[in-house]
Short mmCIF file of all heavy atoms in Angstrom, two decimals:
data_model
loop_
_atom_site.label_atom_id
_atom_site.label_comp_id
_atom_site.label_asym_id
_atom_site.label_seq_id
_atom_site.Cartn_x
_atom_site.Cartn_y
_atom_site.Cartn_z
N MET G 1 0.87 -1.12 -0.01
CA MET G 1 -0.08 -0.05 0.02
C MET G 1 0.89 1.21 0.00
O MET G 1 1.84 1.32 0.75
CB MET G 1 -0.83 0.04 1.33
CG MET G 1 -1.83 1.20 1.26
SD MET G 1 -2.81 1.24 2.82
CE MET G 1 -4.17 0.13 2.29
N LYS G 2 0.57 2.13 -0.85
CA LYS G 2 1.32 3.39 -0.98
C LYS G 2 1.03 4.21 0.31
O LYS G 2 0.01 4.16 0.93
CB LYS G 2 1.03 4.04 -2.23
CG LYS G 2 1.18 3.11 -3.49
CD LYS G 2 2.30 3.66 -4.23
CE LYS G 2 2.29 2.79 -5.39
NZ LYS G 2 3.61 2.59 -6.02
N THR G 3 1.93 5.26 0.38
CA THR G 3 1.73 6.12 1.62
C THR G 3 0.42 6.99 1.34
O THR G 3 -0.12 7.40 2.33
CB THR G 3 3.04 7.07 1.62
OG1 THR G 3 4.15 6.29 1.74
CG2 THR G 3 2.95 7.98 2.81
N ILE G 4 0.26 7.40 0.15
CA ILE G 4 -0.97 8.25 -0.08
C ILE G 4 -2.26 7.51 0.18
O ILE G 4 -3.06 8.15 0.81
CB ILE G 4 -0.97 8.59 -1.63
CG1 ILE G 4 0.19 9.41 -2.08
CG2 ILE G 4 -2.34 9.29 -1.91
CD1 ILE G 4 0.31 10.74 -1.47
N ASN G 5 -2.39 6.22 -0.06
CA ASN G 5 -3.52 5.42 0.39
C ASN G 5 -3.52 5.32 1.86
O ASN G 5 -4.72 5.47 2.43
CB ASN G 5 -3.41 4.02 -0.22
CG ASN G 5 -3.67 4.04 -1.72
OD1 ASN G 5 -4.24 4.98 -2.31
ND2 ASN G 5 -3.18 2.86 -2.37
N PHE G 6 -2.48 5.10 2.56
CA PHE G 6 -2.49 5.12 4.02
C PHE G 6 -2.98 6.43 4.51
O PHE G 6 -3.86 6.36 5.47
CB PHE G 6 -1.17 4.90 4.57
CG PHE G 6 -1.00 4.85 6.01
CD1 PHE G 6 -1.47 3.78 6.73
CD2 PHE G 6 -0.56 5.95 6.80
CE1 PHE G 6 -1.29 3.63 8.11
CE2 PHE G 6 -0.64 5.94 8.18
CZ PHE G 6 -0.94 4.78 8.76
N ILE G 7 -2.60 7.64 4.00
CA ILE G 7 -3.04 8.91 4.52
C ILE G 7 -4.43 9.11 4.13
O ILE G 7 -5.27 9.56 5.04
CB ILE G 7 -2.18 10.02 3.84
CG1 ILE G 7 -0.60 9.91 4.34
CG2 ILE G 7 -2.77 11.49 4.00
CD1 ILE G 7 0.22 10.82 3.67
N LYS G 8 -4.99 8.65 2.97
CA LYS G 8 -6.50 8.58 2.71
C LYS G 8 -7.17 7.93 3.65
O LYS G 8 -8.23 8.34 4.21
CB LYS G 8 -6.72 8.20 1.30
CG LYS G 8 -6.23 9.19 0.23
CD LYS G 8 -6.64 8.46 -1.11
CE LYS G 8 -5.96 9.31 -2.24
NZ LYS G 8 -6.24 8.77 -3.59
N TYR G 9 -6.87 6.66 3.96
CA TYR G 9 -7.58 5.84 4.95
C TYR G 9 -7.56 6.37 6.29
O TYR G 9 -8.47 6.40 7.00
CB TYR G 9 -6.99 4.44 5.03
CG TYR G 9 -7.45 3.55 3.70
CD1 TYR G 9 -6.45 2.89 2.94
CD2 TYR G 9 -8.64 3.45 3.43
CE1 TYR G 9 -6.64 2.14 1.89
CE2 TYR G 9 -9.08 2.74 2.37
CZ TYR G 9 -7.96 1.94 1.62
OH TYR G 9 -8.37 1.31 0.54
N PHE G 10 -6.33 7.04 6.77
CA PHE G 10 -6.18 7.61 8.03
C PHE G 10 -7.11 8.75 8.13
O PHE G 10 -7.90 8.92 9.07
CB PHE G 10 -4.70 8.15 8.28
CG PHE G 10 -4.62 8.98 9.39
CD1 PHE G 10 -4.55 8.34 10.71
CD2 PHE G 10 -4.67 10.36 9.44
CE1 PHE G 10 -4.40 9.10 11.87
CE2 PHE G 10 -4.64 11.07 10.58
CZ PHE G 10 -4.38 10.47 11.77
N ALA G 11 -7.14 9.58 7.07
CA ALA G 11 -8.08 10.92 7.09
C ALA G 11 -9.53 10.38 7.20
O ALA G 11 -10.28 11.08 8.00
CB ALA G 11 -7.79 11.75 5.94
N LEU G 12 -9.86 9.44 6.51
CA LEU G 12 -11.35 9.03 6.41
C LEU G 12 -11.75 8.36 7.81
O LEU G 12 -12.79 8.81 8.34
CB LEU G 12 -11.46 8.02 5.29
CG LEU G 12 -12.84 7.34 5.29
CD1 LEU G 12 -13.92 8.32 4.79
CD2 LEU G 12 -12.87 6.07 4.29
N ILE G 13 -10.97 7.47 8.30
CA ILE G 13 -11.21 6.78 9.49
C ILE G 13 -11.18 7.83 10.73
O ILE G 13 -11.99 7.82 11.56
CB ILE G 13 -10.29 5.69 9.71
CG1 ILE G 13 -10.61 4.55 8.78
CG2 ILE G 13 -10.49 5.17 11.24
CD1 ILE G 13 -9.65 3.43 8.66
N PHE G 14 -10.21 8.76 10.66
CA PHE G 14 -10.08 9.80 11.73
C PHE G 14 -11.45 10.62 11.71
O PHE G 14 -11.94 10.82 12.78
CB PHE G 14 -8.88 10.60 11.58
CG PHE G 14 -8.88 11.84 12.51
CD1 PHE G 14 -8.45 11.65 13.86
CD2 PHE G 14 -9.26 13.06 12.11
CE1 PHE G 14 -8.42 12.69 14.58
CE2 PHE G 14 -9.24 14.18 12.98
CZ PHE G 14 -8.89 14.01 14.22
N CYS G 15 -11.81 11.07 10.60
CA CYS G 15 -13.02 11.94 10.48
C CYS G 15 -14.27 11.16 11.00
O CYS G 15 -15.03 11.78 11.79
CB CYS G 15 -13.23 12.50 9.10
SG CYS G 15 -11.89 13.71 8.55
N LEU G 16 -14.45 10.06 10.45
CA LEU G 16 -15.66 9.30 10.85
C LEU G 16 -15.70 8.90 12.40
O LEU G 16 -16.64 9.21 13.01
CB LEU G 16 -15.79 8.03 10.21
CG LEU G 16 -16.11 8.13 8.70
CD1 LEU G 16 -15.99 6.69 7.96
CD2 LEU G 16 -17.41 8.68 8.53
N THR G 17 -14.43 8.50 12.89
CA THR G 17 -14.34 8.25 14.31
C THR G 17 -14.56 9.53 15.20
O THR G 17 -15.20 9.48 16.14
CB THR G 17 -13.04 7.59 14.61
OG1 THR G 17 -12.79 6.46 13.82
CG2 THR G 17 -12.90 7.16 16.10
N PHE G 18 -13.86 10.57 14.83
CA PHE G 18 -14.05 11.82 15.57
C PHE G 18 -15.44 12.37 15.56
O PHE G 18 -15.96 12.67 16.65
CB PHE G 18 -13.13 12.89 14.84
CG PHE G 18 -13.13 14.15 15.56
CD1 PHE G 18 -12.51 14.36 16.83
CD2 PHE G 18 -13.76 15.16 15.07
CE1 PHE G 18 -12.28 15.53 17.56
CE2 PHE G 18 -13.87 16.49 15.80
CZ PHE G 18 -13.02 16.60 16.93
N VAL G 19 -16.16 12.28 14.44
CA VAL G 19 -17.58 12.81 14.37
C VAL G 19 -18.48 11.82 15.31
O VAL G 19 -19.31 12.37 16.13
CB VAL G 19 -18.09 12.86 13.09
CG1 VAL G 19 -19.60 13.11 12.96
CG2 VAL G 19 -17.38 13.99 12.28
N VAL G 20 -18.31 10.54 15.18
CA VAL G 20 -19.16 9.60 15.93
C VAL G 20 -18.94 9.77 17.49
O VAL G 20 -19.81 9.80 18.25
CB VAL G 20 -18.91 8.12 15.58
CG1 VAL G 20 -19.50 7.21 16.49
CG2 VAL G 20 -19.56 8.01 14.09
N THR G 21 -17.67 9.91 17.94
CA THR G 21 -17.28 10.12 19.14
C THR G 21 -17.79 11.40 19.82
O THR G 21 -18.22 11.34 20.93
CB THR G 21 -15.68 9.96 19.37
OG1 THR G 21 -15.16 8.78 18.72
CG2 THR G 21 -15.38 9.84 20.83
N VAL G 22 -17.75 12.46 18.89
CA VAL G 22 -18.21 13.79 19.46
C VAL G 22 -19.72 13.54 19.87
O VAL G 22 -20.33 14.05 20.90
CB VAL G 22 -18.07 14.74 18.45
CG1 VAL G 22 -18.91 16.13 18.78
CG2 VAL G 22 -16.49 15.25 18.46
N ILE G 23 -20.46 12.91 18.89
CA ILE G 23 -21.87 12.75 19.04
C ILE G 23 -22.19 11.90 20.29
O ILE G 23 -23.14 12.21 21.13
CB ILE G 23 -22.53 12.12 17.78
CG1 ILE G 23 -22.50 13.08 16.67
CG2 ILE G 23 -23.98 11.69 17.98
CD1 ILE G 23 -22.84 12.54 15.27
N VAL G 24 -21.46 10.74 20.41
CA VAL G 24 -21.78 9.88 21.60
C VAL G 24 -21.36 10.52 23.00
O VAL G 24 -22.13 10.46 23.87
CB VAL G 24 -20.79 8.56 21.41
CG1 VAL G 24 -20.87 7.78 22.61
CG2 VAL G 24 -21.41 7.84 20.27
N THR G 25 -20.28 11.28 23.00
CA THR G 25 -19.96 12.01 24.30
C THR G 25 -20.94 13.13 24.63
O THR G 25 -21.32 13.20 25.72
CB THR G 25 -18.60 12.55 24.24
OG1 THR G 25 -18.33 13.45 23.16
CG2 THR G 25 -17.42 11.31 24.10
N TYR G 26 -21.48 13.73 23.56
CA TYR G 26 -22.46 14.76 23.76
C TYR G 26 -23.72 14.20 24.42
O TYR G 26 -24.27 14.69 25.30
CB TYR G 26 -22.71 15.52 22.45
CG TYR G 26 -23.86 16.52 22.60
CD1 TYR G 26 -23.74 17.66 23.27
CD2 TYR G 26 -25.09 16.16 22.03
CE1 TYR G 26 -24.85 18.58 23.50
CE2 TYR G 26 -26.19 16.99 22.21
CZ TYR G 26 -25.95 18.31 22.98
OH TYR G 26 -26.99 19.10 23.06
N LEU G 27 -24.25 13.07 23.73
CA LEU G 27 -25.37 12.37 24.06
C LEU G 27 -25.27 11.77 25.58
O LEU G 27 -26.31 11.89 26.31
CB LEU G 27 -25.86 11.32 23.06
CG LEU G 27 -26.31 12.02 21.68
CD1 LEU G 27 -26.67 10.87 20.69
CD2 LEU G 27 -27.63 12.80 21.86
N TYR G 28 -24.12 11.26 25.76
CA TYR G 28 -23.86 10.59 27.09
C TYR G 28 -23.94 11.69 28.15
O TYR G 28 -24.55 11.63 29.26
CB TYR G 28 -22.59 9.87 27.16
CG TYR G 28 -22.22 9.35 28.47
CD1 TYR G 28 -22.77 8.17 28.93
CD2 TYR G 28 -21.30 10.14 29.29
CE1 TYR G 28 -22.57 7.81 30.25
CE2 TYR G 28 -21.05 9.66 30.63
CZ TYR G 28 -21.56 8.43 30.95
OH TYR G 28 -21.24 7.90 32.25
N SER G 29 -23.31 12.86 27.94
CA SER G 29 -23.18 13.90 28.82
C SER G 29 -24.61 14.42 28.98
O SER G 29 -25.01 14.73 30.15
CB SER G 29 -22.22 14.94 28.43
OG SER G 29 -22.23 15.96 29.26
N LEU G 30 -25.40 14.58 27.91
CA LEU G 30 -26.71 15.14 28.09
C LEU G 30 -27.64 14.26 28.78
O LEU G 30 -28.39 14.70 29.60
CB LEU G 30 -27.24 15.42 26.71
CG LEU G 30 -28.57 16.08 26.61
CD1 LEU G 30 -28.42 17.45 27.01
CD2 LEU G 30 -29.01 16.09 25.15
N ILE G 31 -27.59 12.99 28.46
CA ILE G 31 -28.52 11.97 29.18
C ILE G 31 -28.19 11.74 30.60
O ILE G 31 -29.01 11.72 31.47
CB ILE G 31 -28.59 10.78 28.39
CG1 ILE G 31 -29.20 11.02 26.98
CG2 ILE G 31 -29.27 9.59 29.10
CD1 ILE G 31 -29.06 9.78 26.02
N VAL G 32 -26.88 11.42 30.81
CA VAL G 32 -26.41 11.03 32.20
C VAL G 32 -26.40 12.29 33.20
O VAL G 32 -26.86 12.18 34.36
CB VAL G 32 -25.15 10.24 32.18
CG1 VAL G 32 -24.65 9.99 33.49
CG2 VAL G 32 -25.42 8.90 31.37
N HIS G 33 -25.67 13.30 32.69
CA HIS G 33 -25.36 14.38 33.55
C HIS G 33 -26.29 15.61 33.29
O HIS G 33 -26.32 16.56 34.14
CB HIS G 33 -23.95 14.82 33.44
CG HIS G 33 -22.93 13.80 33.58
ND1 HIS G 33 -22.73 13.38 34.93
CD2 HIS G 33 -22.13 13.12 32.85
CE1 HIS G 33 -21.78 12.39 34.92
NE2 HIS G 33 -21.37 12.24 33.59
N GLY G 34 -26.95 15.69 32.19
CA GLY G 34 -27.80 16.74 31.99
C GLY G 34 -27.12 18.03 31.41
O GLY G 34 -27.84 19.13 31.50
N ASP G 35 -25.89 17.96 31.11
CA ASP G 35 -25.14 19.03 30.71
C ASP G 35 -25.03 19.29 29.19
O ASP G 35 -24.93 20.32 28.79
CB ASP G 35 -23.65 19.00 31.30
CG ASP G 35 -23.69 19.18 32.80
OD1 ASP G 35 -24.62 19.81 33.37
OD2 ASP G 35 -22.69 18.68 33.49
N GLY G 36 -24.84 18.24 28.49
CA GLY G 36 -24.63 18.29 27.14
C GLY G 36 -23.19 18.88 26.69
O GLY G 36 -23.05 19.65 25.86
N ILE G 37 -22.10 18.33 27.37
CA ILE G 37 -20.85 18.82 27.12
C ILE G 37 -20.04 17.84 26.17
O ILE G 37 -20.19 16.55 26.35
CB ILE G 37 -19.95 18.99 28.54
CG1 ILE G 37 -20.78 20.09 29.40
CG2 ILE G 37 -18.58 19.36 28.14
CD1 ILE G 37 -20.17 20.17 30.70
N ILE G 38 -19.37 18.32 25.30
CA ILE G 38 -18.60 17.38 24.35
C ILE G 38 -17.22 17.13 24.92
O ILE G 38 -16.58 18.30 25.32
CB ILE G 38 -18.55 18.04 22.96
CG1 ILE G 38 -19.91 18.02 22.38
CG2 ILE G 38 -17.63 17.03 22.07
CD1 ILE G 38 -20.09 18.76 20.95
N ASP G 39 -16.71 15.90 25.02
CA ASP G 39 -15.36 15.76 25.49
C ASP G 39 -14.42 15.74 24.18
O ASP G 39 -14.18 14.71 23.64
CB ASP G 39 -15.38 14.41 26.17
CG ASP G 39 -14.04 14.29 27.10
OD1 ASP G 39 -13.13 15.04 26.79
OD2 ASP G 39 -13.88 13.25 27.79
N TRP G 40 -13.84 16.86 23.95
CA TRP G 40 -12.99 16.90 22.74
C TRP G 40 -11.83 16.17 22.75
O TRP G 40 -11.32 15.64 21.67
CB TRP G 40 -12.73 18.39 22.43
CG TRP G 40 -13.87 19.28 22.10
CD1 TRP G 40 -14.52 20.01 22.98
CD2 TRP G 40 -14.57 19.24 20.92
NE1 TRP G 40 -15.63 20.63 22.34
CE2 TRP G 40 -15.72 20.13 21.02
CE3 TRP G 40 -14.49 18.56 19.66
CZ2 TRP G 40 -16.56 20.51 20.05
CZ3 TRP G 40 -15.36 18.93 18.69
CH2 TRP G 40 -16.40 19.85 18.85
N ALA G 41 -11.19 16.08 24.01
CA ALA G 41 -9.86 15.25 24.05
C ALA G 41 -10.00 13.89 23.80
O ALA G 41 -9.25 13.29 23.12
CB ALA G 41 -9.33 15.53 25.41
N VAL G 42 -11.10 13.30 24.39
CA VAL G 42 -11.27 11.83 24.08
C VAL G 42 -11.72 11.61 22.66
O VAL G 42 -11.15 10.65 22.01
CB VAL G 42 -12.60 11.31 25.02
CG1 VAL G 42 -12.90 9.99 24.60
CG2 VAL G 42 -12.12 11.36 26.49
N SER G 43 -12.54 12.53 22.07
CA SER G 43 -12.82 12.33 20.52
C SER G 43 -11.53 12.38 19.79
O SER G 43 -11.45 11.59 18.79
CB SER G 43 -13.81 13.35 20.20
OG SER G 43 -14.97 13.32 20.98
N PHE G 44 -10.61 13.36 20.04
CA PHE G 44 -9.53 13.46 19.31
C PHE G 44 -8.50 12.26 19.37
O PHE G 44 -8.01 11.80 18.50
CB PHE G 44 -8.70 14.80 19.76
CG PHE G 44 -7.56 15.10 18.71
CD1 PHE G 44 -7.76 15.55 17.44
CD2 PHE G 44 -6.33 14.90 19.26
CE1 PHE G 44 -6.74 15.85 16.71
CE2 PHE G 44 -5.17 15.18 18.44
CZ PHE G 44 -5.34 15.69 17.14
N ARG G 45 -8.32 11.83 20.68
CA ARG G 45 -7.47 10.60 20.97
C ARG G 45 -8.07 9.36 20.23
O ARG G 45 -7.21 8.66 19.62
CB ARG G 45 -7.43 10.26 22.49
CG ARG G 45 -6.34 11.26 23.07
CD ARG G 45 -6.25 10.91 24.50
NE ARG G 45 -6.45 12.02 25.31
CZ ARG G 45 -7.15 12.20 26.50
NH1 ARG G 45 -7.66 11.18 27.03
NH2 ARG G 45 -7.20 13.47 27.18
N ILE G 46 -9.23 9.07 20.44
CA ILE G 46 -9.83 7.93 19.76
C ILE G 46 -9.65 8.01 18.27
O ILE G 46 -9.33 6.89 17.61
CB ILE G 46 -11.31 7.64 20.17
CG1 ILE G 46 -11.37 7.21 21.66
CG2 ILE G 46 -11.91 6.58 19.36
CD1 ILE G 46 -12.89 7.05 22.28
N GLY G 47 -9.94 9.13 17.73
CA GLY G 47 -9.84 9.32 16.21
C GLY G 47 -8.35 9.07 15.70
O GLY G 47 -8.14 8.43 14.81
N ILE G 48 -7.44 9.56 16.54
CA ILE G 48 -6.02 9.35 16.20
C ILE G 48 -5.63 7.81 16.21
O ILE G 48 -5.04 7.25 15.50
CB ILE G 48 -5.09 10.13 17.14
CG1 ILE G 48 -5.27 11.65 16.71
CG2 ILE G 48 -3.62 9.73 16.98
CD1 ILE G 48 -4.64 12.09 15.44
N ILE G 49 -5.98 7.27 17.36
CA ILE G 49 -5.64 5.78 17.63
C ILE G 49 -6.22 4.89 16.60
O ILE G 49 -5.68 4.13 15.90
CB ILE G 49 -6.15 5.35 19.02
CG1 ILE G 49 -5.25 5.98 20.07
CG2 ILE G 49 -6.00 3.83 19.15
CD1 ILE G 49 -5.89 5.95 21.47
N LEU G 50 -7.60 5.04 16.25
CA LEU G 50 -8.27 4.20 15.26
C LEU G 50 -7.74 4.59 13.84
O LEU G 50 -7.60 3.82 12.94
CB LEU G 50 -9.80 4.33 15.38
CG LEU G 50 -10.25 3.63 16.61
CD1 LEU G 50 -11.81 3.76 16.73
CD2 LEU G 50 -9.88 2.19 16.69
N GLY G 51 -7.40 5.86 13.72
CA GLY G 51 -6.91 6.23 12.39
C GLY G 51 -5.64 5.66 12.04
O GLY G 51 -5.29 5.52 10.88
N ILE G 52 -4.76 5.28 13.09
CA ILE G 52 -3.57 4.67 12.79
C ILE G 52 -3.71 3.12 12.72
O ILE G 52 -3.20 2.51 11.88
CB ILE G 52 -2.49 5.14 13.99
CG1 ILE G 52 -2.18 6.54 13.77
CG2 ILE G 52 -1.27 4.24 13.91
CD1 ILE G 52 -1.46 7.08 14.84
N ILE G 53 -4.50 2.61 13.70
CA ILE G 53 -4.56 1.19 13.71
C ILE G 53 -5.29 0.58 12.66
O ILE G 53 -4.76 -0.55 12.03
CB ILE G 53 -5.21 0.79 15.10
CG1 ILE G 53 -4.24 1.10 16.26
CG2 ILE G 53 -5.48 -0.74 14.97
CD1 ILE G 53 -4.84 0.91 17.63
N LEU G 54 -6.34 1.07 12.22
CA LEU G 54 -7.17 0.39 11.19
C LEU G 54 -6.54 0.30 9.84
O LEU G 54 -6.63 -0.78 9.21
CB LEU G 54 -8.63 1.00 11.06
CG LEU G 54 -9.39 0.72 12.37
CD1 LEU G 54 -10.80 1.43 12.28
CD2 LEU G 54 -9.61 -0.72 12.63
N PRO G 55 -5.86 1.39 9.36
CA PRO G 55 -5.17 1.22 8.04
C PRO G 55 -3.99 0.21 8.18
O PRO G 55 -3.78 -0.41 7.16
CB PRO G 55 -4.58 2.60 7.76
CG PRO G 55 -5.54 3.60 8.52
CD PRO G 55 -5.97 2.75 9.74
N ILE G 56 -3.21 0.15 9.27
CA ILE G 56 -2.28 -0.86 9.48
C ILE G 56 -2.79 -2.20 9.40
O ILE G 56 -2.26 -3.14 8.79
CB ILE G 56 -1.47 -0.52 10.79
CG1 ILE G 56 -0.63 0.66 10.64
CG2 ILE G 56 -0.55 -1.70 11.06
CD1 ILE G 56 0.03 1.09 11.87
N VAL G 57 -3.89 -2.48 10.11
CA VAL G 57 -4.49 -3.73 10.07
C VAL G 57 -4.94 -4.20 8.53
O VAL G 57 -4.79 -5.22 8.12
CB VAL G 57 -5.77 -3.81 10.94
CG1 VAL G 57 -6.68 -5.11 10.67
CG2 VAL G 57 -5.41 -3.71 12.37
N LYS G 58 -5.44 -3.12 7.80
CA LYS G 58 -5.76 -3.34 6.45
C LYS G 58 -4.53 -3.71 5.60
O LYS G 58 -4.55 -4.59 4.74
CB LYS G 58 -6.42 -2.10 5.96
CG LYS G 58 -6.96 -2.35 4.41
CD LYS G 58 -7.80 -1.22 3.94
CE LYS G 58 -8.21 -1.57 2.54
NZ LYS G 58 -9.50 -1.17 2.22
N ILE G 59 -3.44 -3.11 5.95
CA ILE G 59 -2.20 -3.40 5.19
C ILE G 59 -1.74 -4.75 5.51
O ILE G 59 -1.39 -5.52 4.60
CB ILE G 59 -0.99 -2.36 5.57
CG1 ILE G 59 -1.43 -0.97 4.88
CG2 ILE G 59 0.32 -2.69 5.04
CD1 ILE G 59 -0.53 0.15 5.51
N LEU G 60 -1.75 -5.15 6.72
CA LEU G 60 -1.29 -6.51 7.13
C LEU G 60 -2.20 -7.56 6.48
O LEU G 60 -1.69 -8.60 6.15
CB LEU G 60 -1.24 -6.60 8.65
CG LEU G 60 -0.15 -5.67 9.33
CD1 LEU G 60 -0.22 -5.88 10.78
CD2 LEU G 60 1.14 -6.13 8.81
N ASP G 61 -3.48 -7.29 6.50
CA ASP G 61 -4.35 -8.31 5.97
C ASP G 61 -4.17 -8.43 4.46
O ASP G 61 -4.28 -9.50 3.88
CB ASP G 61 -5.85 -7.75 6.21
CG ASP G 61 -6.86 -8.91 5.88
OD1 ASP G 61 -6.60 -10.00 6.15
OD2 ASP G 61 -7.91 -8.44 5.38
N LYS G 62 -3.86 -7.33 3.70
CA LYS G 62 -3.62 -7.35 2.30
C LYS G 62 -2.29 -8.18 1.96
O LYS G 62 -2.21 -8.85 0.98
CB LYS G 62 -3.54 -5.99 1.76
CG LYS G 62 -3.99 -5.86 0.36
CD LYS G 62 -3.97 -4.42 -0.05
CE LYS G 62 -5.33 -3.89 -0.44
NZ LYS G 62 -5.27 -2.54 -1.12
N ASN G 63 -1.29 -7.98 2.76
CA ASN G 63 -0.01 -8.57 2.62
C ASN G 63 -0.12 -10.14 3.00
O ASN G 63 0.71 -10.87 2.65
CB ASN G 63 0.97 -7.98 3.47
CG ASN G 63 1.44 -6.62 3.05
OD1 ASN G 63 1.24 -6.25 1.88
ND2 ASN G 63 2.04 -5.76 3.84
N LYS G 64 -1.09 -10.51 3.89
CA LYS G 64 -1.31 -11.87 4.21
C LYS G 64 -1.65 -12.69 3.08
O LYS G 64 -1.32 -13.93 2.92
CB LYS G 64 -2.21 -11.90 5.39
CG LYS G 64 -2.40 -13.26 5.99
CD LYS G 64 -3.31 -13.11 7.24
CE LYS G 64 -4.17 -14.28 7.33
NZ LYS G 64 -5.14 -14.17 8.34
N ASP G 65 -2.46 -12.17 2.18
CA ASP G 65 -3.05 -12.97 0.95
C ASP G 65 -2.08 -13.22 0.09
O ASP G 65 -1.10 -12.99 -0.23
CB ASP G 65 -4.12 -12.25 0.40
CG ASP G 65 -5.40 -12.14 1.38
OD1 ASP G 65 -5.39 -13.01 2.23
OD2 ASP G 65 -6.17 -11.22 1.14
#
């Protein structure tokens, strides 16, 4: 897999994960605490972590075949 493809997958997965985590943390805070506060740090961290791990897993799976 080329570096450009890795960067594309990273960007796609980061954006999707970041948006979903923002929505989930907002709804959790709203329902449980009644505040409706978004936890930006957790959203960013999870986006970065999954953005790195999932493209690597895809590369390793492709090389396995």
Side-chain angles (χ1 to χ4, degrees):
M1 177 183 278
K2 306 253 185 213
T3 305
I4 298 297
N5 288 339
F6 180 81
I7 293 171
K8 286 180 186 178
Y9 286 127
F10 172 81
L12 176 68
I13 292 169
F14 173 78
C15 291
L16 290 174
T17 306
F18 183 75
V19 169
V20 168
T21 310
V22 164
I23 293 168
V24 168
T25 57
Y26 173 75
L27 290 175
Y28 175 79
S29 177
L30 186 65
I31 292 169
V32 174
H33 302 292
D35 292 338
I37 298 172
I38 298 172
D39 193 350
W40 295 103
V42 169
S43 302
F44 188 74
R45 278 186 231 137
I46 291 175
I48 291 288
I49 291 168
L50 291 179
I52 291 171
I53 291 173
L54 292 178
I56 290 173
V57 168
K58 185 171 180 138
I59 291 169
L60 293 175
D61 189 39
K62 215 178 232 187
N63 289 341
K64 186 173 141 181
D65 292 338

